[in-house]
PDB file of all heavy atoms in Angstrom:
ATOM      1  N   SER A  13      53.815 -21.843  18.987  1.00  0.00           N
ATOM      2  CA  SER A  13      52.487 -21.259  19.035  1.00  0.00           C
ATOM      3  C   SER A  13      51.567 -22.199  19.801  1.00  0.00           C
ATOM      4  O   SER A  13      51.468 -23.377  19.486  1.00  0.00           O
ATOM      5  CB  SER A  13      51.955 -21.065  17.614  1.00  0.00           C
ATOM      6  OG  SER A  13      50.629 -20.632  17.669  1.00  0.00           O
ATOM      7  N   ASN A  14      50.896 -21.655  20.799  1.00  0.00           N
ATOM      8  CA  ASN A  14      49.974 -22.459  21.607  1.00  0.00           C
ATOM      9  C   ASN A  14      48.529 -22.194  21.240  1.00  0.00           C
ATOM     10  O   ASN A  14      47.628 -22.428  22.018  1.00  0.00           O
ATOM     11  CB  ASN A  14      50.179 -22.156  23.092  1.00  0.00           C
ATOM     12  CG  ASN A  14      51.496 -22.678  23.612  1.00  0.00           C
ATOM     13  OD1 ASN A  14      52.102 -23.553  23.002  1.00  0.00           O
ATOM     14  ND2 ASN A  14      51.956 -22.130  24.716  1.00  0.00           N
ATOM     15  N   ALA A  15      48.304 -21.680  20.036  1.00  0.00           N
ATOM     16  CA  ALA A  15      46.946 -21.361  19.611  1.00  0.00           C
ATOM     17  C   ALA A  15      46.101 -22.623  19.562  1.00  0.00           C
ATOM     18  O   ALA A  15      46.502 -23.635  19.009  1.00  0.00           O
ATOM     19  CB  ALA A  15      46.972 -20.692  18.242  1.00  0.00           C
ATOM     20  N   GLY A  16      44.941 -22.558  20.151  1.00  0.00           N
ATOM     21  CA  GLY A  16      44.026 -23.688  20.139  1.00  0.00           C
ATOM     22  C   GLY A  16      44.327 -24.735  21.196  1.00  0.00           C
ATOM     23  O   GLY A  16      43.625 -25.715  21.308  1.00  0.00           O
ATOM     24  N   GLU A  17      45.359 -24.547  21.990  1.00  0.00           N
ATOM     25  CA  GLU A  17      45.735 -25.518  23.006  1.00  0.00           C
ATOM     26  C   GLU A  17      45.061 -25.141  24.324  1.00  0.00           C
ATOM     27  O   GLU A  17      45.050 -23.988  24.728  1.00  0.00           O
ATOM     28  CB  GLU A  17      47.256 -25.503  23.172  1.00  0.00           C
ATOM     29  CG  GLU A  17      47.781 -26.653  23.990  1.00  0.00           C
ATOM     30  CD  GLU A  17      49.302 -26.644  23.986  1.00  0.00           C
ATOM     31  OE1 GLU A  17      49.884 -26.576  22.898  1.00  0.00           O
ATOM     32  OE2 GLU A  17      49.867 -26.684  25.076  1.00  0.00           O
ATOM     33  N   PHE A  18      44.502 -26.119  25.015  1.00  0.00           N
ATOM     34  CA  PHE A  18      43.834 -25.874  26.285  1.00  0.00           C
ATOM     35  C   PHE A  18      44.890 -25.840  27.390  1.00  0.00           C
ATOM     36  O   PHE A  18      45.571 -26.829  27.624  1.00  0.00           O
ATOM     37  CB  PHE A  18      42.804 -26.973  26.550  1.00  0.00           C
ATOM     38  CG  PHE A  18      41.909 -26.670  27.715  1.00  0.00           C
ATOM     39  CD1 PHE A  18      40.890 -25.743  27.578  1.00  0.00           C
ATOM     40  CD2 PHE A  18      42.082 -27.293  28.929  1.00  0.00           C
ATOM     41  CE1 PHE A  18      40.048 -25.455  28.644  1.00  0.00           C
ATOM     42  CE2 PHE A  18      41.247 -27.012  29.994  1.00  0.00           C
ATOM     43  CZ  PHE A  18      40.239 -26.092  29.845  1.00  0.00           C
ATOM     44  N   PRO A  19      45.041 -24.709  28.086  1.00  0.00           N
ATOM     45  CA  PRO A  19      46.108 -24.552  29.093  1.00  0.00           C
ATOM     46  C   PRO A  19      45.740 -25.191  30.437  1.00  0.00           C
ATOM     47  O   PRO A  19      45.562 -24.510  31.444  1.00  0.00           O
ATOM     48  CB  PRO A  19      46.237 -23.041  29.212  1.00  0.00           C
ATOM     49  CG  PRO A  19      44.866 -22.539  28.916  1.00  0.00           C
ATOM     50  CD  PRO A  19      44.309 -23.474  27.882  1.00  0.00           C
ATOM     51  N   ILE A  20      45.649 -26.515  30.457  1.00  0.00           N
ATOM     52  CA  ILE A  20      45.152 -27.230  31.626  1.00  0.00           C
ATOM     53  C   ILE A  20      46.022 -27.034  32.856  1.00  0.00           C
ATOM     54  O   ILE A  20      45.513 -26.813  33.954  1.00  0.00           O
ATOM     55  CB  ILE A  20      44.945 -28.737  31.315  1.00  0.00           C
ATOM     56  CG1 ILE A  20      44.266 -29.466  32.483  1.00  0.00           C
ATOM     57  CG2 ILE A  20      46.260 -29.408  30.983  1.00  0.00           C
ATOM     58  CD1 ILE A  20      42.822 -29.232  32.539  1.00  0.00           C
ATOM     59  N   PHE A  21      47.342 -27.083  32.697  1.00  0.00           N
ATOM     60  CA  PHE A  21      48.213 -26.975  33.871  1.00  0.00           C
ATOM     61  C   PHE A  21      48.162 -25.583  34.483  1.00  0.00           C
ATOM     62  O   PHE A  21      48.160 -25.438  35.699  1.00  0.00           O
ATOM     63  CB  PHE A  21      49.645 -27.379  33.526  1.00  0.00           C
ATOM     64  CG  PHE A  21      49.773 -28.839  33.251  1.00  0.00           C
ATOM     65  CD1 PHE A  21      50.111 -29.291  31.997  1.00  0.00           C
ATOM     66  CD2 PHE A  21      49.522 -29.769  34.247  1.00  0.00           C
ATOM     67  CE1 PHE A  21      50.203 -30.636  31.736  1.00  0.00           C
ATOM     68  CE2 PHE A  21      49.616 -31.113  34.007  1.00  0.00           C
ATOM     69  CZ  PHE A  21      49.952 -31.562  32.746  1.00  0.00           C
ATOM     70  N   PHE A  22      48.102 -24.562  33.633  1.00  0.00           N
ATOM     71  CA  PHE A  22      47.990 -23.211  34.176  1.00  0.00           C
ATOM     72  C   PHE A  22      46.664 -23.019  34.894  1.00  0.00           C
ATOM     73  O   PHE A  22      46.612 -22.422  35.965  1.00  0.00           O
ATOM     74  CB  PHE A  22      48.156 -22.149  33.077  1.00  0.00           C
ATOM     75  CG  PHE A  22      47.970 -20.767  33.603  1.00  0.00           C
ATOM     76  CD1 PHE A  22      48.941 -20.188  34.398  1.00  0.00           C
ATOM     77  CD2 PHE A  22      46.809 -20.060  33.365  1.00  0.00           C
ATOM     78  CE1 PHE A  22      48.772 -18.922  34.935  1.00  0.00           C
ATOM     79  CE2 PHE A  22      46.619 -18.797  33.885  1.00  0.00           C
ATOM     80  CZ  PHE A  22      47.607 -18.231  34.666  1.00  0.00           C
ATOM     81  N   LEU A  23      45.583 -23.531  34.331  1.00  0.00           N
ATOM     82  CA  LEU A  23      44.280 -23.396  34.986  1.00  0.00           C
ATOM     83  C   LEU A  23      44.230 -24.167  36.302  1.00  0.00           C
ATOM     84  O   LEU A  23      43.604 -23.716  37.262  1.00  0.00           O
ATOM     85  CB  LEU A  23      43.164 -23.830  34.049  1.00  0.00           C
ATOM     86  CG  LEU A  23      42.878 -22.863  32.900  1.00  0.00           C
ATOM     87  CD1 LEU A  23      41.807 -23.430  31.979  1.00  0.00           C
ATOM     88  CD2 LEU A  23      42.456 -21.510  33.414  1.00  0.00           C
ATOM     89  N   LEU A  24      44.908 -25.314  36.363  1.00  0.00           N
ATOM     90  CA  LEU A  24      44.963 -26.054  37.625  1.00  0.00           C
ATOM     91  C   LEU A  24      45.744 -25.280  38.685  1.00  0.00           C
ATOM     92  O   LEU A  24      45.362 -25.255  39.853  1.00  0.00           O
ATOM     93  CB  LEU A  24      45.578 -27.434  37.405  1.00  0.00           C
ATOM     94  CG  LEU A  24      44.693 -28.444  36.683  1.00  0.00           C
ATOM     95  CD1 LEU A  24      45.459 -29.735  36.416  1.00  0.00           C
ATOM     96  CD2 LEU A  24      43.424 -28.729  37.471  1.00  0.00           C
ATOM     97  N   LYS A  25      46.839 -24.632  38.277  1.00  0.00           N
ATOM     98  CA  LYS A  25      47.603 -23.803  39.215  1.00  0.00           C
ATOM     99  C   LYS A  25      46.757 -22.638  39.712  1.00  0.00           C
ATOM    100  O   LYS A  25      46.779 -22.300  40.895  1.00  0.00           O
ATOM    101  CB  LYS A  25      48.863 -23.253  38.543  1.00  0.00           C
ATOM    102  CG  LYS A  25      49.953 -24.257  38.339  1.00  0.00           C
ATOM    103  CD  LYS A  25      51.143 -23.566  37.680  1.00  0.00           C
ATOM    104  CE  LYS A  25      52.130 -24.549  37.140  1.00  0.00           C
ATOM    105  NZ  LYS A  25      53.233 -23.880  36.425  1.00  0.00           N
ATOM    106  N   THR A  26      46.030 -22.020  38.801  1.00  0.00           N
ATOM    107  CA  THR A  26      45.185 -20.891  39.165  1.00  0.00           C
ATOM    108  C   THR A  26      44.044 -21.346  40.072  1.00  0.00           C
ATOM    109  O   THR A  26      43.685 -20.649  41.023  1.00  0.00           O
ATOM    110  CB  THR A  26      44.638 -20.211  37.902  1.00  0.00           C
ATOM    111  OG1 THR A  26      45.714 -19.944  37.012  1.00  0.00           O
ATOM    112  CG2 THR A  26      43.954 -18.918  38.222  1.00  0.00           C
ATOM    113  N   LEU A  27      43.501 -22.507  39.792  1.00  0.00           N
ATOM    114  CA  LEU A  27      42.451 -23.066  40.639  1.00  0.00           C
ATOM    115  C   LEU A  27      42.998 -23.365  42.038  1.00  0.00           C
ATOM    116  O   LEU A  27      42.335 -23.088  43.049  1.00  0.00           O
ATOM    117  CB  LEU A  27      41.889 -24.335  39.995  1.00  0.00           C
ATOM    118  CG  LEU A  27      40.620 -24.923  40.566  1.00  0.00           C
ATOM    119  CD1 LEU A  27      39.487 -23.914  40.489  1.00  0.00           C
ATOM    120  CD2 LEU A  27      40.249 -26.179  39.806  1.00  0.00           C
ATOM    121  N   LEU A  28      44.209 -23.907  42.102  1.00  0.00           N
ATOM    122  CA  LEU A  28      44.847 -24.166  43.390  1.00  0.00           C
ATOM    123  C   LEU A  28      45.055 -22.856  44.155  1.00  0.00           C
ATOM    124  O   LEU A  28      44.793 -22.792  45.360  1.00  0.00           O
ATOM    125  CB  LEU A  28      46.184 -24.887  43.192  1.00  0.00           C
ATOM    126  CG  LEU A  28      46.950 -25.209  44.461  1.00  0.00           C
ATOM    127  CD1 LEU A  28      46.157 -26.168  45.339  1.00  0.00           C
ATOM    128  CD2 LEU A  28      48.309 -25.802  44.114  1.00  0.00           C
ATOM    129  N   PHE A  29      45.487 -21.805  43.452  1.00  0.00           N
ATOM    130  CA  PHE A  29      45.631 -20.490  44.085  1.00  0.00           C
ATOM    131  C   PHE A  29      44.299 -20.030  44.668  1.00  0.00           C
ATOM    132  O   PHE A  29      44.249 -19.525  45.794  1.00  0.00           O
ATOM    133  CB  PHE A  29      46.153 -19.466  43.069  1.00  0.00           C
ATOM    134  CG  PHE A  29      46.032 -18.052  43.547  1.00  0.00           C
ATOM    135  CD1 PHE A  29      46.934 -17.538  44.469  1.00  0.00           C
ATOM    136  CD2 PHE A  29      45.002 -17.235  43.109  1.00  0.00           C
ATOM    137  CE1 PHE A  29      46.813 -16.237  44.936  1.00  0.00           C
ATOM    138  CE2 PHE A  29      44.874 -15.932  43.560  1.00  0.00           C
ATOM    139  CZ  PHE A  29      45.786 -15.436  44.480  1.00  0.00           C
ATOM    140  N   SER A  30      43.223 -20.211  43.913  1.00  0.00           N
ATOM    141  CA  SER A  30      41.898 -19.793  44.388  1.00  0.00           C
ATOM    142  C   SER A  30      41.502 -20.542  45.652  1.00  0.00           C
ATOM    143  O   SER A  30      40.932 -19.957  46.576  1.00  0.00           O
ATOM    144  CB  SER A  30      40.852 -20.014  43.302  1.00  0.00           C
ATOM    145  OG  SER A  30      41.074 -19.169  42.220  1.00  0.00           O
TER     146      SER A  30
END
Side-chain angles (χ1 to χ4, degrees):
S13 174
N14 290 341
E17 192 174 309
F18 190 76
I20 187 78
F21 291 114
F22 177 73
L23 288 177
L24 287 175
K25 286 181 194 176
T26 310
L27 192 59
L28 180 63
F29 167 78
S30 293

